[in-house]
Amino acid sequence: MAAEHILDRVLAGQESIQSWQDELYVHFHRNPELSFVEHETHDRIAEELRAIGVDEIEEHIGGTGLVGVLRNGDGPTILMRADIDALPVQELTGLDYASTAVGTSFDGETSPVMHACGHDVHISALLGAVRLLADHRDAWSGTFVALFQPAEERAGGAMAMVNDDLVGRIPRPDVAFAQHVGPKPAGQVHACIGSAYSRADSIKVTVFGRGGHGSAPHTTVDPAVLAAMIVLRLQTIVSRETRPGEFAVVTVGRLQVGTKVNIISDRAVLDVNVRSYDDDVHARLLAAIERIVRAECEASGSPTEPTFEYYDRFPVTVNDVEVTERVRSAFASAFGDHYVEDLPTTGSEDFSEIPKAFEIPYCYWNVGGVDRETYRDAKKRGVLASEIAGNHSPFFAPVMHPTLQAATKTIVVVALDWLGTEA
Amino acid sequence: MAAEHILDRVLAGQESIQSWQDELYVHFHRNPELSFVEHETHDRIAEELRAIGVDEIEEHIGGTGLVGVLRNGDGPTILMRADIDALPVQELTGLDYASTAVGTSFDGETSPVMHACGHDVHISALLGAVRLLADHRDAWSGTFVALFQPAEERAGGAMAMVNDDLVGRIPRPDVAFAQHVGPKPAGQVHACIGSAYSRADSIKVTVFGRGGHGSAPHTTVDPAVLAAMIVLRLQTIVSRETRPGEFAVVTVGRLQVGTKVNIISDRAVLDVNVRSYDDDVHARLLAAIERIVRAECEASGSPTEPTFEYYDRFPVTVNDVEVTERVRSAFASAFGDHYVEDLPTTGSEDFSEIPKAFEIPYCYWNVGGVDRETYRDAKKRGVLASEIAGNHSPFFAPVMHPTLQAATKTIVVVALDWLGTEA
Amino acid sequence: MAAEHILDRVLAGQESIQSWQDELYVHFHRNPELSFVEHETHDRIAEELRAIGVDEIEEHIGGTGLVGVLRNGDGPTILMRADIDALPVQELTGLDYASTAVGTSFDGETSPVMHACGHDVHISALLGAVRLLADHRDAWSGTFVALFQPAEERAGGAMAMVNDDLVGRIPRPDVAFAQHVGPKPAGQVHACIGSAYSRADSIKVTVFGRGGHGSAPHTTVDPAVLAAMIVLRLQTIVSRETRPGEFAVVTVGRLQVGTKVNIISDRAVLDVNVRSYDDDVHARLLAAIERIVRAECEASGSPTEPTFEYYDRFPVTVNDVEVTERVRSAFASAFGDHYVEDLPTTGSEDFSEIPKAFEIPYCYWNVGGVDRETYRDAKKRGVLASEIAGNHSPFFAPVMHPTLQAATKTIVVVALDWLGTEA
Amino acid sequence: MAAEHILDRVLAGQESIQSWQDELYVHFHRNPELSFVEHETHDRIAEELRAIGVDEIEEHIGGTGLVGVLRNGDGPTILMRADIDALPVQELTGLDYASTAVGTSFDGETSPVMHACGHDVHISALLGAVRLLADHRDAWSGTFVALFQPAEERAGGAMAMVNDDLVGRIPRPDVAFAQHVGPKPAGQVHACIGSAYSRADSIKVTVFGRGGHGSAPHTTVDPAVLAAMIVLRLQTIVSRETRPGEFAVVTVGRLQVGTKVNIISDRAVLDVNVRSYDDDVHARLLAAIERIVRAECEASGSPTEPTFEYYDRFPVTVNDVEVTERVRSAFASAFGDHYVEDLPTTGSEDFSEIPKAFEIPYCYWNVGGVDRETYRDAKKRGVLASEIAGNHSPFFAPVMHPTLQAATKTIVVVALDWLGTEA
């Protein structure tokens, strides 16, 4: 029996698990939890892994992380990772199962919460794949490690698991995988060779003015004006200081000045997100930000030095050439036209900390989540960017089908390519 | 016996009430309450008025406003107003009796609270003056109305009292007075003829971008950039569109964009405070703001029209010429060198709604609150603006003495000038 | 015979000189000359003074300045000054007699030239008044000094005359006068007590980038971006650092970056004009400009310190109280409704250097130049600012009548008030 | 005899032509001429071609363009192009032979002139190669066309030659070549496959304010402020509206506002240079510029629509894969370590119009011009960008040796690879 036949046989099981998987997805979507406080999510995943009957469950690795292991005789060990946290975004999708959750982050901020990055797809797909593999132990041989990682959005989840002795607590994999859902046609998959996700740093910049009454600006140093100058100056790092065509992003994601309209505040806080593929470029971006902020403070006559707090620091994600070529070949065969070649995404990921801890190669791929018809139509009308909501948007809403099936299938395809018993 | 003698006699009582008044001041300073929710402040004032033995108390006018009346035979009726609300500011004065209060505003926002505008001085001074006048009924004849107004900071308190039938519920005054403490030498007083406080409007401007992932700016319309352009453009209304020397202020007191560093938000909110003395100028300021905001939204390719919500609208405060000349003359005689002539303040006040409701003239004066030595030294070193905290600053800290005595004395001086029995 | 009668008698002569004066005006308007190079203007004025028959002419004081003296018996000596230079502006008025002149400035720049500030009105009015006074020597007694000053626009003309021994070369006046035409209704006059014209400084600011190819911004420091940041930052000096209602102007009148679209230049030049009435304010404006420019250069990573060249420095013009009250009273009587009280102008003048050299008081007044109907209509429609061209505009076009008559009459009124023989 | 031997033999002639070639280079460097007016350059090239003894000279193609042809029996025809115009830049290199020329452009602007883009290297190298090939006719067979093109810097020179019947006036080539000198180590060469030079457009943007006196900004619409806002907004096209990593450049190379410090002008002129490799990106850049400019004019209350004049439009330069691989292989063999692979340049070129007219493939390569020691040292100290002047800089100064030899050698290497008689 050829590999294709095994794959077909295992995938045939998708139909029977669909209502269970849909329900799981809706559950996670309705009950999103912020980074590092995914307590109920952790427990529900553990419960499902137990119901599926995995051979081992290792809970509470790095707080809310956990791992399920299917041991199935000799053969390689592969690891698939799903991230499980949600974002402080108020859902505006209008879906039946839209989130109305409000949560408090580990550092004390309360906000609406939404799976605006699709991690609910990742969880549901990985649980689905585990169930299919558990149901078809005859089709493969080796060890399959399903890793559910917390706090990807805050960059710390992977390291939290590593620092909590991940390497000592789970079987050592030969290779690691992860995937992400995004604003491409549902069912479509692609995997980049080399740089797949950018390096990223976040900086909380606090600049100081001198507070006072809104009617007496001359007695103050206005932090709103200072912050505005900084935001515009920061634009020139990419537009003027970076080689045209070099990947570099400087985003002010959050900007907070003042509490009351007629009080001029004594400070402004800018949260700046910086991305690149190249280390030298990265160093120059960070230096330029500090130079600009300091000089703009001087231009305002700021009475106090600005402060810079670095956080959420993501490594660059570089897919292994050999592993990725094997993944691409498996996808090309299994997905046909739906396998495409595409640009690396602009985002960042901390997944690579996990294979780095094991010193093993990895591949990170992408799956689409937009209704195909809708996508085709928006593309034809040239409104992809404006009408198709991307990750982190309050409108981000993967269509359930065939997104879940495809995201489950990718895992099964790769697992059987590495572990399949027949060729 | 001459007027001076009466005044001296009444003011001689200040010494005996000092410890009571200091304690009152510290109490109010430690227990600040936000606009419209000054419940405990209201109750404590009522309690003190009862203890003093005023002839009438009218409580809960416009929610948390109240009035105490001293009726003392024939003669004019004069009204003195003190405002009683505090601000959402976190106190940084380091005083023993600094506020650590946290409060929730009537519209649901929770924040630290501080008497950063000195209304605690106003309350304590008015209660002190009422006590002195009650203790020396032989020195004057007529009616003294002590009005405690809520929510001056939100511009609505005076109108709330007026709308709650203030005119029908208290004796009709012939003239009305109010005062404010500010960053001038303690003990110093001044009163402007004509425009004393500016007209003010606040506008909550919401502009819309298109949200998305921080790493994919090209799929978004970045509201942080849009807000920054608006803040800078707004500066040009005063610098380029207003006649040099014309009073005009456009302050962005609050600016909020986004919740998370790697999410580009779909909107920015700017709270803009606008002030002028002149009505035409005011109309042009408001028109310019709307023009600029709309055009900047277009420049950004904003997908949605901006919105403008007007609130906290203050009238202009114009001191009556005749009344103010009489006040100035009484001050000159009673305060000597400490009476000065000064520029109108740049701030705004809703006090004038009260005399307007009675169709009577009014005078609003100012008293200093800064230690004289400190002030003199800062002036000599040319650092007044940087070292002397103004109203609404988290460092605003009137020295207790002689600020309270002087603020009490102003009321007594004016009361006896209008109501004194000897001349 | 009363003073009114003398005045009426002298002014009756206006009719007979009108065609001569109109022709003079058209001549000067058509033949404008730039500051310090008003050679033909000088010669034509001298020729006219000779034709009128003044008693003395002193030519070439400070280059192209000159003075005509009418000596007429005992009595006070008064000085009236007219400035004679034009501007590097291309006239767009469409008038029959519009200037098409091109001239070269004393520092070597060639440009179109236009009397865009109305100095042609000043010359023609002063020559007209001299002629009327010369024709009616029986109506007055004393000495009338007509001073024609070069280079007012470059601030150096008055000092050039003073430095060329003006004091030693002309009769010593008891009082000095000057006037300016502006965008008010023709025939209207006003005179401010106290500050009448602002102090002004001009600064040539040169900031340095690093030049390079337009396609390689990352190898350069872009001076266009640097200059733009500076222009916007400078707006905040007036909008945020100056007390609301305090007179202060910071204008970037000229901004030059680069020569070719695909070359990033190595510098930008900003010509900045700064005005105030108050000396402290002035010092703070200049300090703020230097602080901002230096810090913005640092923010850009500029390789070289910026340079600041100060030029065209104008003193503040402060009308003497006593003299001005006398002028106002004469105007009120002679102009009736057309005498108004108005705000000081925002402009600057070097005239005061002349009375300062003689240590005498002075008054500087204003006359209107806009067709009354046009003005009234524009005011009604609220389009004064947009439809009525101000001084220095390429569209600035005083209507010949009654502008010339009124500007001539002001001089005669003041001269007879000081020198008239009957009362 | 192998190809290497032929090449060595021909290149051996470099020594004997060196002093002639150096002198030529110095001559052209000292006598730069602006685009379309390279009259003396044209004549001197023609004179040299005659002295060398080429078989045909076709002069005045497209004004100041010309072609020299070496016919040498059967074989392919290849075309090598050198561009010959200089730039309006004032040379600051301090070289002995620095240009002090001043010239007037075809559209009437006078300015200093400099070979700041190294076209003098291109001319001298091509003349050198023609001389070597003419001296060694036994080493090759076929036709060599040396084309000297005017006005590359203004984008119009290649089209001017094409429009002047270039195709009909010279032998039809099978393939075309061109080269450029830049800020890389002298002697180094590289050739990109595919996109080698960007598409470029220049736009003269005129925006309108309302002029007036510098002291009366409220009567004007200030074009300096408007221009500054536009310059900053334009930065966001690359920083926010373009996919990170996509090649896009928006440079404001020239910005002109006003003529005199105390006149607010009625307009600003911005010359904007736009570059990309991708057509869709290009369309979006142009649309964004127009959107931003129009909206900023509205924000300023501009009285008149802005105007956009497009000029100097360069096509994208895409090197033919097959031809370029052959060139790279020839370079690798002839230059050894000095042949490197590098990124495409960010600049633009109109050369491709010529092969496009003949419908033939082409390759455009780059040679370095910086002293190797200097380059190595600057690189080690991390100051390449700041210390090594790039093209169009007033400090751009290729070292004569080995730059000229290497630039000559590239042509000989490619010519013999296509036309060499032995292999």
Side-chain angles (χ1 to χ4, degrees), chain B residues 331-368:
Chain B
F331 283 172
S333 148
F335 285 92
D337 282 359
H338 293 310
Y339 169 70
V340 298
E341 297 202 3
D342 207 341
L343 294 168
T345 77
T346 54
S348 299
E349 256 296 339
D350 68 347
F351 158 67
S352 67
E353 302 291 4
I354 291 167
K356 213 177 290 168
F358 288 105
E359 296 181 344
I360 57 173
Y362 60 89
C363 173
Y364 194 118
W365 66 79
N366 296 85
V367 298

Side-chain angles (χ1 to χ4, degrees), chain C residues 198-221:
Chain C
S198 66
R199 181 170 166 182
D201 276 308
S202 291
I203 319 171
K204 180 177 173 177
V205 179
T206 307
V207 294
F208 298 91
R210 187 166 50 238
H213 195 279
S215 71
H218 58 297
T219 66
T220 75
V221 172

Side-chain angles (χ1 to χ4, degrees), chain D residues 390-406:
Chain D
N391 298 66
H392 290 202
S393 161
F395 296 99
F396 184 71
V399 291
M400 230 184 290
H401 310 291
T403 306
L404 285 175
Q405 281 90 336

Side-chain angles (χ1 to χ4, degrees), chain B residues 38-180:
Chain B
E38 313 90 336
H39 301 294
E40 294 181 23
T41 305
H42 169 281
D43 293 352
R44 178 65 184 261
I45 294 167
E47 183 186 316
E48 294 295 333
L49 290 172
R50 272 189 293 271
I52 289 166
V54 299
D55 301 289
E56 290 169 30
I57 304 182
E58 185 74 22
E59 296 186 55
H60 299 298
I61 313 181
T64 45
L66 74 163
V67 167
V69 181
L70 289 173
R71 292 195 186 272
N72 197 34
D74 293 344
T77 297
I78 71 173
L79 179 151
M80 179 74 197
R81 171 272 216 169
D83 40 7
I84 67 173
D85 54 327
L87 285 162
V89 171
Q90 176 145 29
E91 180 156 357
L92 299 175
T93 60
L95 292 170
D96 295 355
Y97 51 91
S99 163
T100 56
V102 171
T104 300
S105 73
F106 78 94
D107 47 4
E109 289 193 39
T110 297
S111 61
V113 188
M114 173 192 176
H115 264 301
C117 200
H119 296 186
D120 45 359
V121 172
H122 307 167
I123 305 169
S124 308
L126 183 49
L127 285 172
V130 170
R131 183 157 167 189
L132 292 174
L133 292 171
D135 289 353
H136 297 84
R137 289 186 182 245
D138 57 333
W140 60 283
S141 179
T143 301
F144 184 86
V145 178
L147 182 147
F148 298 87
Q149 177 203 307
E152 183 276 331
E153 298 291 351
R154 299 296 294 262
M159 279 313 293
M161 293 187 79
V162 169
N163 291 336
D164 199 17
D165 194 23
L166 177 70
V167 171
R169 292 169 70 178
I170 68 166
R172 173 182 179 75
D174 298 300
V175 62
F177 303 103
Q179 72 178 345
H180 212 296

Side-chain angles (χ1 to χ4, degrees), chain C residues 229-389:
Chain C
M229 293 298 289
I230 290 172
V231 170
L232 294 186
R233 265 278 185 202
L234 292 179
Q235 305 310 309
T236 68
I237 299 177
V238 169
S239 72
R240 301 279 87 186
E241 300 192 30
T242 302
R243 192 184 201 282
E246 178 69 49
F247 183 97
V249 184
V250 178
T251 289
V252 179
R254 189 163 172 269
L255 171 55
Q256 305 281 322
V257 189
T259 54
K260 192 162 185 310
V261 72
N262 66 343
I263 304 177
I264 293 174
S265 174
D266 71 342
R267 72 192 59 196
V269 179
L270 301 94
D271 283 89
V272 186
N273 190 236
V274 185
R275 287 157 196 276
S276 68
Y277 294 141
D278 183 271
D279 280 352
D280 278 359
V281 169
H282 208 76
R284 277 187 281 116
L285 297 179
L286 298 183
I289 291 168
E290 294 213 10
R291 182 192 78 233
I292 283 170
V293 169
R294 287 185 199 288
E296 290 298 338
C297 286
E298 275 185 49
S300 275
S302 167
T304 311
E305 288 282 291
T307 62
F308 301 86
E309 296 168 44
Y310 288 80
Y311 66 99
D312 289 7
R313 311 191 79 160
F314 290 92
V316 69
T317 301
V318 184
N319 281 346
D320 182 72
V321 176
E322 210 172 315
V323 169
T324 307
E325 280 176 350
R326 187 167 167 186
V327 166
R328 293 172 94 160
S329 154
F331 282 173
S333 149
F335 285 93
D337 283 359
H338 293 311
Y339 169 69
V340 298
E341 298 202 2
D342 206 342
L343 294 168
T345 78
T346 56
S348 299
E349 256 295 340
D350 69 346
F351 157 67
S352 67
E353 302 291 3
I354 291 166
K356 213 177 289 169
F358 289 106
E359 297 180 344
I360 56 172
Y362 60 88
C363 172
Y364 194 118
W365 66 77
N366 296 85
V367 299
V370 183
D371 178 65
R372 291 170 191 173
E373 196 74 28
T374 306
Y375 188 90
R376 204 177 305 127
D377 173 62
K379 192 169 180 181
K380 216 171 66 189
R381 290 185 296 120
V383 295
L384 269 187
S386 60
E387 297 198 356
I388 304 297

